[in-house]
Amino acid sequence: MEEIKDTFLHPAVPLDFQNNYRVGAYMQRYLDGFKEKKILGAKCSQCGRVVVPPRKYCGDCNLVMEEFVELPQEGTLENFTVGHVVLEKGQLNRAEAPYVIGMVKLDGASNALLARLQVAPADARTGMKVKAVWQDQVEGEYSDLDCFEPA
Amino acid sequence: MRNVGIVGIGYTPVFVSKRKDVSIAEMISEAVDAGLKNTGLKPEDIDAYVFGNMATFEGVNMPHLWATEYMHARGKPIMRFATGGTIGMAAFHGAYYHVASGMADIAMAVTYEKHSEGDAQVGLMGIITPEVMAMLAAGIDVTGQSGMGAIGGGSAGGISFQASSYLHRSGASIEHIDAMAALERRNAAKNPYAHLKDPEATAEKIAQTPMVSWPIRFGHICPTTDGATVCIVASEEKAAKIADKVAWVLGVANCASDATTANLIESQITDPAEQLPAIIASKKACERAGIEDPKKEIDYVEIYNGFAHQTLMYLEKVGMCEVGEAHKLLEAGELEINGRCPVNASGGVVSTNSIGTSALNRVTECALQVMGQAGERQVEKEVHKAMAHGWGGLMQYCTITILGDKPKKL
Amino acid sequence: MDKKVAIAGFRMAAAPDLETTRERLVFDLSKGLLDDLGIDRDAVDNFVLCSNDFMDGRTISHVFLGPPAGGYMKDQTKVEMDGLNAMIYATMGIISGQYDVTMVLAMSLTGSQASPYLYTDYSLDPTYDRQLKLLNELSAAALEAKSYLAANGYSEELLDVVASQNLGNAAANPGQARRIDGVSREKVKASPYYYEPLRELHCYPPTDGGCAMILVSERKAKELTDKPVWVLGMGRSTDTYFLGDRDLSTSLSAAQAAERAYAMAGIKDPRGEVALAEIMSLFAHQEPLLAESMGLLEKGKAAAAYESGETAVSGKMPLNPSGGPLGGHPLCASGLIRAAEAARQLRGEGGDNQVKKDGVALVHGQDGVCAQQSAVVILGT
Ligand SMILES: [Zn+2]
C-alpha cells in the first residue's frame, strides 16, 4: 500500500481560564502592609527564621508561624540575572532592552525576595546594597512594591 | 504483596461552596494537619506523599510543588496523579502501592479541590475544545452535533444521555432518581463534612427542582465544593502501632474504555450507561480481594455519583444487585442507613463534590464504616467489608477499592 | 533491591516537530514496542500514562491516549509530570506482586506548541509568583547557574564546555531532536543570551516526543528478553518551592534522591560503581551541578573534570552520553527517555556513543523550577 503522508490541521485552541485565587490570611497581611509601605515577614517561634513574604508554615520546623514582623526596606542583592527575553503566555520573545531581576535579602530576613532591580545591567553587582522603591499611590497590591534600587 | 491498611483520615473542617478565608495551600494544610492529629503521627513519620486534584479546573499545574511546606513534605517524595474525576482514588491507589511495594511504610494521599477559584464547566469543555476547534477550522458545521453540544454544555449535558439510557434499560423512572437524591441529601445531613444537607428532603421536593436536561433535574446534580481530604495508609507492622482500628485494603483495580463512549460525537459506538469499566474493575478488585459474590460479601458501598441516577446504576454495575434491581431496593428502603444494602451514608458525591477529593472520600467513608467511626452516619448493620467506587475520565474510567476489617491472608 | 523488575524494551521518538498527533505518536510508540517484543496488548496487564493537560491543551487529556496506547479495558492510571516518576510507579506495581507486565508511556508535543513554555507559568504559585511575573523556568535557571558558578569559582566558559559536549553527543545520536554538526564551544558562546549567563544553546530545546517502556517481573523477564536491564534502586525527594529559601549552588532534592537510590541498590561508592549517568539537566549548568550533588563528580572539581575528558563518552564518568535534554526535551517523556537511553547503553546498543565500561547506570529526572523535585533510578545488568 502506498504510504500516506500525514497532513494535519493545526487548529489553535484558545484555552484561557479566568481564575480568582484567594491569597489567604498570610499574604493578605503582607499586602495590607503595602498600604502603609511596610514589608512584613513571618517569624518562626522555634528557629527564629524570618521569611518574606509571610507564609503559614516554617518548612524547617514544620510549625505554624504566628508572629508577623516588619522588615527594613533595605537589603543586599544576593544574586541577579540580566534578562534578554520575556516569557509571555508561554512564548519566548526578545526583550526590548536588557533588564535586571535578582534575589534581594532584606536586612534581618532569612530568605530572599525575587524582585526587579532599577539598575543598569552593567552596574548590577552581587552584594550591593539596595532599597525598596514604592509606587506613589499604594493600594495593597503586589505592584505597590515597584522594584529595588541601589541604596 | 504486603498488607496495607488505612490508619487514619483527615478532612478540612468544612466542605462548602466558597472558602474565602484560605488559599489553596492553606486549605490543603487543614486536612493534612487533621490527618496527623487523628493518627498521632508526626510529619517525620510520613515516608511518602501522593497528591491529586483536577489541575485544569483551577488553572494550576503542579500545585503540590508550591504546597510542599503546607503538607510538611520537604525532603519527602511526592508523586502526583491526574486522572480526572477518579483522581482521589488514583492517588489512594498510588499511596497503596507505595506501601505494598515496600517503597514506604507510611504514605499519605492528599487531595483537594477549590472549585470557587476556577471554572469547572469551562474546564470540562477543555476536554473537547480541540475537536470543536478542529471541526470549525475544517469548516465542519458543529451545530447539528447534539452529543458534542451536550458535552460542551458541561457534565450535566453529557450525563443526561447516560441517565435516559439507564432509565430505559433498568425500568426505573425519574421518580426513582428523585427519591435517590432525597435519600442522599438526608444522609448528608448526618455528615459534618457534607456540603448540601437537607434532613427533610423528599422525592417530591427534589421533583420540584428545575429540569436541566431530561431526565436530570437540578436536584439530581452535585454542587461545586471547596474542600480537602487526606488518607494515611501503613504497612501491617506499622499499622498495629498507629491505630486500634484499621481498614485493610483487600483489593484495588481500575479500568478504562474508549473516550468516544462518552457520546462525544454522533458516531458513538457504545451506550454511555453500559459502563463496562465499572463492571470489569469491580470484578478484578473482587478477585484480588478474594470475594466471589459482592452481593453476599460486601456490607457497605460508597458510589461516586456526580448525578443521583448513578447511585442506582453503579450498584448494578459493581455487582451489588442485578440489573434493574437497584430501584426496587430503593423502594424497599434497603439502601437507607438502616437498610440491608446501605449506600452513600455520607451523602455521596451528589451532596459534596470537591472533585479532587470525591473518589478519595468514597474510600475514607468506607474506611470509617469499617472502623466503626462514622458517627451519626454509621450504618446499622455490621460492616466487615466495604467497596468504594470512583468514576471519571470522560465518563469511561472507573476505579474500585475494597476494604475489610481484617487483613488479607497472604 | 533484588532483581525483581526489569526493562524488557523501549521505544523513543523525538524531533523539533514530529508532524503527528498525540494519539498517533502514542500508538506508534506502543505498537512498535509490542512488535519489538513479539507480544500484543493482551500480554500487558497495566498501563501507566504520563502527559500534561496544560501541554496537551486538553482537560483529562490521557483519556484519549489510553486507547492508542493499548490500554482499552485495562488497568490504567496517569502520573504527572516527569516520566521517570511514572516508571517508578510502574515498578512499584510489579514489586508489590500485583502486575507482571506494565507499559509506561510518556509524551508531549512541546516542540510544535504555539506556547511551549505555558505549563511553567501554570506551575507557579498563583497567589504570588504568577502575579509578579518575574519567576519562570528560565529566569530561575539563570539564577541557579549564577549561584552555582559563583559558589565554585567556575567561569561562564564551563557552560559552553558542558553544552558543546552534550550537543556533540546528541549529534551522534540519531534519536535526538537537536542535532547540530560540529558544534564548538565558540558556536555555543555565539548563541544569544536568554537570561545571563544562560544562552540559547545552554538551554533545552522545546521538543516533540515520547517514550514507551515495558517493565516486567523477574518471571516474565526470562520470557520476553535476552537482555534484561534491572531496576536496582529508586529514590525521590522534594525541596522547598521558595527559591529565596534555597541554596541554588547545589541540589538538595537530587542529593537526597540519589542517597535513597544508592542505599536501595547497595551502592557505597558512586564514583567507583556508576559507569554512566543520564541526567535530566535542562540547562548546561545543571549537569555538573546535579552530578556533584549526586556524588558523581567531586564537589568544586567539575570544570577540571570536563576539561580532562572525564565526563565524555570515553571518560571515567560519562555524563549524558545520549546528549541529554540539551539534545531534546519532550516534556513528561524526558526523564523516561533518560532511563531508556541508560538501558540502551547497558544493553550495548549505544552505537557511536557506546560507553565501554562495566557498572551500573544512574538515571535522574526532575520537576519544578531548579529541580525542586528529583527522582533517581539505578539500572544494571
Ligand atoms: Zn522554624
Side-chain angles (χ1 to χ4, degrees):
Chain A
M1 198 174 82
E2 191 189 342
E3 179 119 350
I4 298 165
K5 172 79 183 130
D6 291 334
T7 54
F8 299 109
L9 280 164
H10 286 75
V13 176
L15 196 66
D16 209 354
F17 295 88
Q18 283 293 323
N19 301 102
N20 50 320
Y21 301 110
R22 308 270 174 196
V23 298
Y26 282 71
M27 199 60 90
Q28 191 58 55
R29 277 286 287 273
Y30 182 63
L31 290 171
D32 287 346
F34 277 18
K35 288 181 192 162
E36 298 164 24
K37 299 192 178 179
K38 284 181 180 172
I39 303 175
L40 297 178
K43 186 173 181 180
C44 173
S45 60
Q46 182 160 309
C47 68
R49 214 159 67 99
V50 175
V51 297
V52 56
R55 67 180 92 110
K56 190 177 174 188
Y57 289 98
C58 171
D60 286 356
C61 307
N62 283 323
L63 281 179
V64 173
M65 294 201 268
E66 278 157 359
E67 191 187 342
F68 287 84
V69 292
E70 188 188 341
L71 287 155
Q73 308 261 326
E74 293 194 8
T76 309
L77 181 62
E78 285 215 316
N79 190 359
F80 70 93
T81 175
V82 178
H84 295 260
V85 292
V86 285
L87 276 182
E88 287 163 323
K89 293 209 160 196
Q91 289 172 16
L92 189 67
N93 297 309
R94 300 307 297 178
E96 281 174 22
Y99 58 97
V100 182
I101 58 173
M103 308 295 290
V104 174
K105 194 170 203 166
L106 295 173
D107 297 338
S110 308
N111 68 339
L113 269 178
L114 184 59
R116 200 167 64 79
L117 273 299
Q118 191 59 52
V119 60
D123 297 336
R125 295 281 178 277
T126 300
M128 76 196 288
K129 297 297 283 180
V130 293
K131 63 170 196 273
V133 179
W134 296 89
Q135 301 278 10
D136 295 338
Q137 288 285 324
V138 287
E139 287 163 15
E141 289 172 3
Y142 288 110
S143 55
D144 291 348
L145 179 56
D146 187 40
C147 62
F148 283 80
E149 64 178 17
Chain B
M1 179 82 72
R2 301 209 300 172
N3 265 320
V4 181
I6 295 173
V7 293
I9 66 173
Y11 291 135
T12 40
V14 289
F15 283 73
V16 292
S17 294
K18 291 188 173 74
R19 281 297 305 276
K20 296 181 181 176
D21 56 330
V22 285
S23 67
I24 289 174
E26 288 167 357
M27 190 181 76
I28 292 168
S29 75
E30 294 177 349
V32 173
D33 287 349
L36 293 174
K37 188 161 172 272
N38 292 343
T39 49
L41 290 169
K42 296 192 182 63
E44 53 268 33
D45 296 326
I46 309 294
D47 299 323
Y49 288 79
V50 177
F51 190 92
N53 82 308
M54 274 293 295
T56 44
F57 284 10
E58 290 105 330
V60 289
N61 185 17
M62 301 278 277
H64 70 277
L65 293 176
W66 37 268
T68 297
E69 252 87 353
Y70 294 79
M71 298 189 277
H72 315 299
R74 255 175 60 181
K76 306 282 176 70
I78 312 175
M79 189 175 277
R80 177 177 159 75
F81 290 77
T83 61
T86 55
I87 177 58
M89 211 180 296
F92 177 78
H93 290 179
Y96 166 78
Y97 281 115
H98 270 71
V99 177
S101 66
M103 288 300 292
D105 286 327
I106 304 176
M108 184 192 278
V110 182
T111 63
Y112 88 93
E113 213 66 61
K114 204 151 185 278
H115 269 127
S116 65
E117 301 194 352
D119 190 331
Q121 296 314 317
V122 172
L124 282 169
M125 254 179 77
I127 300 175
I128 55 152
T129 316
E131 274 67 30
V132 175
M133 299 321 278
M135 289 167 79
L136 291 173
I140 299 170
D141 179 15
V142 295
T143 51
Q145 303 279 341
S146 65
M148 181 170 266
I151 296 254
S155 194
I159 212 72
S160 59
F161 288 87
Q162 183 186 66
S164 62
S165 169
Y166 171 68
L167 292 185
H168 174 70
R169 285 168 193 279
S170 66
S173 67
I174 187 167
E175 286 75 22
H176 290 108
I177 310 182
D178 298 337
M180 194 65 233
L183 167 56
E184 307 225 24
R185 295 285 154 80
R186 291 197 302 274
N187 285 352
K190 296 187 170 70
N191 177 3
Y193 305 101
H195 179 182
L196 295 182
K197 313 173 189 200
D198 182 1
E200 312 294 330
T202 60
E204 293 70 32
K205 236 165 123 178
I206 297 283
Q208 282 161 21
T209 60
M211 182 60 72
V212 174
S213 177
W214 198 92
I216 298 294
R217 300 188 207 276
F218 189 72
H220 301 160
I221 304 178
C222 58
T224 53
T225 309
D226 288 358
T229 301
V230 307
C231 183
I232 304 173
V233 294
S235 63
E236 194 164 0
E237 190 186 316
K238 294 268 182 179
K241 292 180 190 139
I242 301 165
D244 300 334
K245 292 262 176 68
V246 176
W248 298 98
V249 182
L250 304 182
V252 305
N254 53 58
C255 182
S257 69
D258 189 335
T260 56
T261 57
N263 190 27
L264 188 63
I265 41 182
E266 297 314 287
S267 58
Q268 68 185 76
I269 53 169
T270 53
D271 173 358
E274 186 183 21
Q275 291 294 308
L276 260 177
I279 299 169
I280 294 174
S282 173
K283 275 195 177 140
K284 279 195 286 196
C286 285
E287 201 178 291
R288 290 166 190 175
I291 287 172
E292 280 171 24
D293 184 356
K295 277 196 283 295
K296 293 192 184 114
E297 296 170 65
I298 302 274
D299 305 303
Y300 180 76
V301 195
E302 278 280 341
I303 296 289
Y304 189 115
N305 57 341
F307 305 87
H309 73 280
Q310 293 184 322
T311 325
L312 300 167
M313 183 182 79
Y314 282 119
L315 277 172
E316 297 172 3
K317 302 298 173 191
V318 301
M320 288 304 292
C321 62
E322 298 301 326
V323 174
E325 201 188 348
H327 65 281
K328 290 171 190 158
L329 291 173
L330 174 69
E331 281 175 0
E334 304 292 13
L335 305 185
E336 309 260 352
I337 282 187
N338 59 2
R340 278 191 300 160
C341 181
V343 60
N344 289 3
S346 62
V349 182
V350 79
S351 303
T352 315
N353 193 6
S354 33
I355 289 193
T357 71
S358 287
L360 182 59
N361 284 9
R362 308 283 68 70
V363 179
T364 53
E365 287 295 319
C366 281
L368 290 175
Q369 293 287 347
V370 167
M371 299 190 283
Q373 296 170 355
E376 215 190 320
R377 60 193 186 283
Q378 182 73 40
V379 300
E380 207 170 274
K381 76 190 267 197
E382 274 183 47
V383 180
H384 299 289
K385 285 176 185 165
M387 179 193 280
H389 158 263
W391 164 79
L394 197 50
M395 300 162 62
Q396 45 59 268
Y397 186 47
C398 283
T399 55
I400 300 282
T401 300
I402 297 174
L403 304 177
D405 58 356
K406 289 181 199 64
K408 204 153 65 160
K409 287 195 191 73
L410 298 173
Chain C
M1 185 176 147
D2 306 328
K3 292 181 172 179
K4 283 181 182 162
V5 180
I7 298 172
F10 46 82
R11 276 267 179 140
M12 297 179 262
D17 183 352
L18 282 169
E19 292 181 29
T20 187
T21 63
R22 294 167 179 80
E23 294 78 4
R24 178 66 186 261
L25 171 62
V26 166
F27 177 81
D28 287 346
L29 287 168
S30 173
K31 186 68 169 62
L33 177 51
L34 292 171
D35 289 348
D36 288 348
L37 297 181
I39 55 177
D40 62 23
R41 71 179 199 92
D42 290 338
V44 181
D45 48 23
N46 187 24
F47 287 78
V48 180
L49 304 172
C50 182
S51 64
N52 181 263
D53 287 3
F54 290 94
M55 189 44 71
D56 290 351
R58 192 201 281 280
T59 304
I60 333 178
S61 62
H62 70 285
V63 300
F64 292 92
L65 306 180
Y72 182 67
M73 298 298 180
K74 297 271 190 179
D75 277 41
Q76 193 185 107
T77 193
K78 178 191 164 196
V79 173
E80 279 200 357
M81 289 180 36
D82 184 54
L84 200 58
N85 291 306
M87 177 185 168
I88 289 173
Y89 187 55
T91 306
M92 287 181 196
I94 298 173
I95 306 175
S96 76
Q98 187 67 69
Y99 301 112
D100 276 320
V101 182
T102 298
M103 166 93 70
V104 189
L105 212 152
M107 60 72 61
S108 77
L109 299 183
T110 317
S112 53
Q113 276 283 332
S115 43
Y117 297 95
L118 191 65
Y119 77 97
T120 87
D121 190 30
Y122 279 108
S123 307
L124 301 174
D125 181 349
T127 66
Y128 187 67
D129 289 311
R130 272 167 72 185
Q131 307 294 328
L132 263 60
K133 298 190 193 316
L134 295 171
L135 184 67
N136 62 53
E137 199 187 7
L138 302 176
S139 64
L143 291 167
E144 185 188 42
K146 209 148 168 181
S147 175
Y148 172 67
L149 295 180
N152 291 287
Y154 301 142
S155 72
E156 273 189 41
E157 318 297 315
L158 176 63
L159 304 177
D160 305 332
V161 173
V162 175
S164 61
Q165 179 184 298
N166 272 275
L167 292 170
N169 289 349
N173 179 357
Q176 280 284 25
R178 179 154 73 183
R179 303 177 68 208
I180 309 169
D181 277 340
V183 66
S184 61
R185 295 173 189 189
E186 291 69 31
K187 194 163 175 179
V188 172
K189 204 179 175 60
S191 66
Y193 273 128
Y194 281 178
Y195 287 91
E196 292 181 26
L198 294 178
R199 297 172 183 279
E200 185 183 342
L201 290 180
H202 297 145
C203 302
Y204 73 83
T207 307
D208 280 5
C211 180
M213 178 181 282
I214 286 185
L215 291 160
V216 292
S217 63
E218 189 181 3
R219 193 165 63 86
K220 283 282 175 182
K222 292 189 181 78
E223 281 176 39
L224 290 177
T225 177
D226 302 329
K227 296 192 219 171
V229 172
W230 300 95
V231 179
L232 303 178
M234 307 187 286
R236 291 175 296 132
S237 192
T238 312
D239 200 349
T240 178
Y241 166 80
F242 306 102
L243 220 55
D245 286 28
R246 286 160 70 175
D247 173 5
L248 292 176
S249 70
T250 181
S251 173
L252 189 67
S253 69
Q256 290 173 335
E259 193 186 307
R260 288 165 193 167
Y262 293 148
M264 193 170 165
I267 290 175
K268 298 199 172 55
D269 170 25
R271 274 175 54 74
E273 295 173 64
V274 174
L276 69 107
E278 281 287 338
I279 299 173
M280 194 164 148
S281 50
L282 305 180
F283 306 93
H285 70 279
Q286 284 191 340
E287 188 179 271
L289 187 161
L290 292 165
E292 284 185 7
S293 300
M294 295 188 288
L296 299 176
L297 293 179
E298 241 178 285
K299 275 229 155 88
K301 306 257 173 77
Y306 279 90
E307 285 298 347
S308 70
E310 185 181 331
T311 57
V313 169
S314 57
K316 209 165 129 266
M317 179 59 69
L319 300 180
N320 283 327
S322 68
L326 294 193
H329 172 54
L331 200 77
C332 297
S334 207
L336 190 60
I337 287 177
R338 303 274 73 72
E341 288 285 5
R344 204 159 66 88
Q345 288 284 345
L346 293 173
R347 283 160 48 140
E349 297 166 358
D352 291 346
N353 291 349
Q354 180 63 46
V355 171
K356 297 182 181 74
K357 277 178 70 188
D358 291 329
V360 299
L362 178 143
V363 184
H364 169 268
Q366 63 156 299
D367 275 315
V369 290
C370 302
Q372 190 196 338
Q373 283 197 301
S374 281
V376 170
V377 172
I378 306 291
L379 299 175
T381 50

